[in-house]
Amino acid sequence: MSEGPASLPTAISLPGRRRLRFAPSPTGALHIGNVRTALFNYCLAGPEGRFLLRIEDTDRERYRPESVLEYQAELRWLGLLWDEGPEVGGPCAPYVESERLPLYRKAADRLLDGGAAYPCFCSRERLEELRAAQRASGLPTRYDRRCLHLSSDEVSRLRAEGRPEVVRLRMPEGESAWNDLVLGPQRFDNAEIDDQVLLKSDGYPTYHLAHVVDDHLMGVTHVVRAVEWLPSTPKHLVLYRALGWSPPELAHVPLVLGPDRQKLAKRHGAAAVSEYREMGYLPEAVVNFLAFLGWSPGTEEEVFALSDLRSRMAFERLQSSPAVFDGQRLDYLNGVWIRRLSPGELGRRLRPFLPQASAEQLEPIAEMVRERIRRLDEVPGLVAFAWADPDPSASLLQGSLSRSAAHDFLQGAVPVFQGGSAQLMETLRALASSAAASSTDGAKAEVRRLMRVVRIALTGQEISPPLDACARLLGPQEVDRRLRSALGKLQGPG
RNA sequence: GCCCGCAUCGUCUAGCGGUUAGGACAUCACCCUUUCAAGGUGGUAACCGGGGUUCGACUCCCCGUGCGGGUACCA
């Protein structure tokens, strides 16, 4: 490449009608709020569009290399597969900003040459003092442009001294306006905007420079990001213009709040996607739930798969007010999606939660729990009896029944279970009904009490999956052993 | 401090000048039921306040209030 110092590649005919991107900064765990932004970008690209993943690793202080792979794994888990980006490549590679440094340098040089930016040698200490003073006198905190009018001699002298140097954007006079796809017409007075640092003294660009260069070079057509970026948008617009590029469409989506209406964070409980995965939320439910935090179809439908969302989501229906993250609604949707899974599929998803279960046990377990759980991590507790000896006490077994009634019913139940499970419940209920016939209070209540004895004998718990399913999971021998053991405890007076 | 954004049931939301303000979660009651669920039926519950504009405002405009965001050589 024999490009001049101020030359940059040109973005031409890239695939996809719309090109949207998710550009996280790998500094920690992937936050659920960021996932929503990723989801919106993914969906808004539409079936005809392209979804790109770009790694914004320009903050060397906070950079965490492991995060890159973690983010990718979580996005894949959610089904947010990128058409271009790390690992999959694409026409705009590389998609990692730390590998694109020369591009930002060239852009900075071009801005410097055109007078849209200037070198600044002010120390961090001076900047801090400046801000403190401005704040103290009630002024907006902004750089005072001390380095704006440095002569070339002064610049060379400072460089010769080895003073750390940054490149600052020279914010021009006038106004910055755009039509935000979510918030509508926006207008800022440039005089309110600071001369932002574009290139840091370590040679890395700031977000402002890097994302403008990359979004342009990568042919990004729509930038969808959280409102926290709204106030710095004028800087970006100025950069596009100074570089001779036309800006993409902009859409600022509202924040996701915690129950206290503060920006969702760690202290609200789970903030990382990985935690949701570990708690047994299905990616389908997380996606469905997050989509409705700021979007709705305008109909009364509420269950959406990712592919439906990608074909249905549109800017016009994006919400402009912030949404509170409501865990109860997520739980509900998770239950809905769990019940939509076939027992076989649910069994496969259950694997990480049931290390002690055999391969053959997973599907039957899935079948017995699918209508009673909202999260996969509830399952180990529901079926714990299968791998533990319940060993219930006699008083727990008999409950409000007389000891002899409990004993007699259990004794009658033993042969029922031995007879195989085909009509198990029918037979058991018939047995209970006849035993309850002489009951003074309600026969129905008596049947319940009787069935309860069997439940506790088998599982040690008052609450369990249906008895026939429990019996099948345990197997005939174990059922027989547990019934006889309980029988033994109910022997004699009590 | 300065700049900016937002505002319908507790929560997510529908509404885009005229509606008994709709749905879902949660909640309450009942039904179903071998427990727990799931499912069914029904109920409680909202337009932040004040001015305008208009024959008519939840809807449009202004002010206030509240909440939030930004104000970095972090993104």
Side-chain angles (χ1 to χ4, degrees):
Chain A
M1 285 295 182
S2 58
E3 289 171 328
S7 73
L8 281 161
T10 357
I12 39 160
S13 68
L14 291 161
R17 257 187 80 219
R18 286 177 170 180
R19 294 173 59 83
L20 277 75
R21 47 65 169 179
F22 175 53
S25 181
T27 56
L30 184 58
H31 184 99
I32 198 84
N34 285 137
V35 171
R36 193 198 54 155
T37 303
L39 173 66
F40 278 20
N41 275 283
Y42 175 90
C43 294
L44 261 4
E48 312 278 293
R50 299 272 278 190
F51 174 59
L52 332 199
L53 174 64
R54 184 174 71 225
I55 305 298
E56 303 207 325
D57 56 347
T58 56
D59 182 346
R60 305 320 282 177
E61 306 271 306
R62 297 197 302 154
Y63 177 59
R64 258 192 56 204
E66 348 48 287
S67 291
V68 179
L69 291 177
E70 276 173 31
Y71 283 18
Q72 293 182 24
E74 298 301 353
L75 289 172
R76 287 199 168 107
W77 176 69
L78 289 159
L80 301 178
L81 307 179
W82 50 102
D83 304 301
E84 296 174 28
E87 291 182 4
V88 306
C92 308
Y95 291 86
V96 177
E97 292 188 338
S98 59
E99 296 169 20
R100 301 169 63 82
L101 261 27
L103 261 14
Y104 312 124
R105 181 71 248 183
K106 283 178 188 171
D109 287 342
R110 189 142 122 197
L111 294 165
L112 251 11
D113 289 348
Y118 57 95
C120 172
F121 299 88
C122 290
S123 69
R124 291 172 200 252
E125 295 70 42
R126 185 179 111 74
L127 296 173
E128 272 167 38
E129 286 163 21
L130 178 65
R131 280 192 284 268
Q134 287 168 331
R135 229 195 133 82
S137 39
L139 296 166
T141 53
R142 286 203 288 274
Y143 179 58
D144 62 359
R145 296 190 152 175
R146 175 194 264 212
C147 294
L148 177 57
H149 300 295
L150 254 31
S151 70
S152 52
D153 284 354
E154 284 170 309
V155 169
S156 340
R157 184 177 55 79
L158 289 162
R159 278 184 185 148
E161 282 177 15
R163 291 273 290 270
E165 173 184 353
V166 302
V167 175
R168 275 188 193 275
L169 173 65
R170 177 184 183 166
M171 205 58 196
E173 315 226 311
E175 283 187 327
S176 292
W178 76 96
N179 186 39
D180 196 279
L181 263 22
V182 172
L183 300 175
Q186 298 295 309
R187 184 172 291 275
F188 283 80
D189 183 352
N190 288 352
E192 306 286 351
I193 317 287
D194 205 359
D195 279 0
Q196 184 65 234
V197 169
L198 300 175
L199 209 54
K200 303 182 257 191
S201 55
D202 64 359
Y204 282 83
T206 58
Y207 166 81
H208 307 284
L209 208 217
H211 98 275
V212 165
V213 169
D214 289 340
D215 281 346
H216 176 259
L217 261 23
M218 293 180 182
V220 170
T221 58
H222 303 252
V223 169
V224 180
R225 69 208 337 182
V227 270
E228 54 195 357
W229 291 108
L230 196 66
S232 53
T233 303
K235 298 167 190 172
H236 310 153
L237 259 14
V238 164
L239 282 172
Y240 279 108
R241 175 173 300 190
L243 290 163
W245 301 335
S246 52
E249 296 285 346
L250 295 165
H252 289 93
V253 295
L255 256 22
V256 178
L257 274 25
D260 58 357
R261 301 207 148 266
Q262 302 284 114
K263 191 171 160 180
L264 191 68
K266 194 86 194 163
R267 70 197 143 76
H268 293 116
V273 221
S274 56
E275 296 176 82
Y276 287 88
R277 179 169 39 73
E278 284 157 10
M279 284 189 285
Y281 289 102
L282 304 183
E284 292 93 331
V286 173
V287 159
N288 195 161
F289 170 74
L290 253 22
F292 275 73
L293 256 32
W295 174 82
S296 79
T299 64
E300 286 181 357
E301 302 158 277
E302 54 172 1
V303 180
F304 282 84
L306 184 58
S307 58
D308 301 325
L309 292 169
R310 193 164 185 176
S311 53
R312 296 278 295 276
M313 201 179 274
F315 289 99
E316 301 75 60
R317 300 210 60 86
L318 255 33
Q319 189 83 13
S320 53
S321 53
V324 173
F325 188 100
D326 176 13
Q328 287 189 308
R329 197 181 168 82
L330 207 209
D331 283 353
Y332 161 76
L333 276 172
N334 206 49
V336 169
W337 279 101
I338 284 172
R339 276 170 259 128
R340 287 193 161 207
L341 258 28
S342 68
E345 177 58 23
L346 179 56
R348 280 189 285 282
R349 310 255 192 141
L350 245 21
R351 175 82 281 176
F353 296 86
L354 293 169
Q356 67 285 57
S358 69
E360 307 74 55
Q361 285 177 317
L362 287 173
E363 185 165 336
I365 289 175
E367 207 142 14
M368 65 199 270
V369 300
R370 57 178 295 167
E371 284 195 349
R372 30 187 58 79
I373 55 166
R374 292 154 93 84
R375 285 168 27 182
L376 302 184
D377 67 355
E378 295 168 52
V379 176
L382 276 175
V383 297
F385 68 88
W387 296 279
D389 188 355
D391 197 29
S393 68
S395 66
L396 179 64
L397 278 162
Q398 73 176 93
S400 58
L401 244 31
S402 76
R403 184 159 290 195
S404 63
H407 176 271
D408 293 350
F409 180 65
L410 216 47
Q411 192 154 52
V414 173
V416 175
F417 279 92
Q418 280 173 333
S421 61
Q423 266 108 42
L424 192 150
M425 287 317 293
E426 290 78 351
T427 317
L428 203 57
R429 219 177 295 128
L431 183 69
S433 299
S434 70
S438 60
S439 170
T440 48
D441 42 304
K444 272 190 167 181
E446 187 69 1
V447 170
R448 281 173 222 267
R449 281 196 286 261
L450 258 12
M451 298 294 256
R452 178 183 170 280
V453 185
V454 180
R455 182 178 310 284
I456 291 175
L458 255 31
T459 69
Q461 304 163 349
E462 292 192 282
I463 294 170
S464 82
L467 284 175
D468 45 351
C470 292
R472 254 177 278 132
L473 183 62
L474 290 169
Q477 287 188 336
E478 182 62 13
V479 168
D480 198 58
R481 193 190 69 76
R482 291 188 183 191
L483 289 175
R484 287 180 196 284
S485 156
L487 223 32
K489 289 172 187 164
L490 291 169
Q491 217 97 53

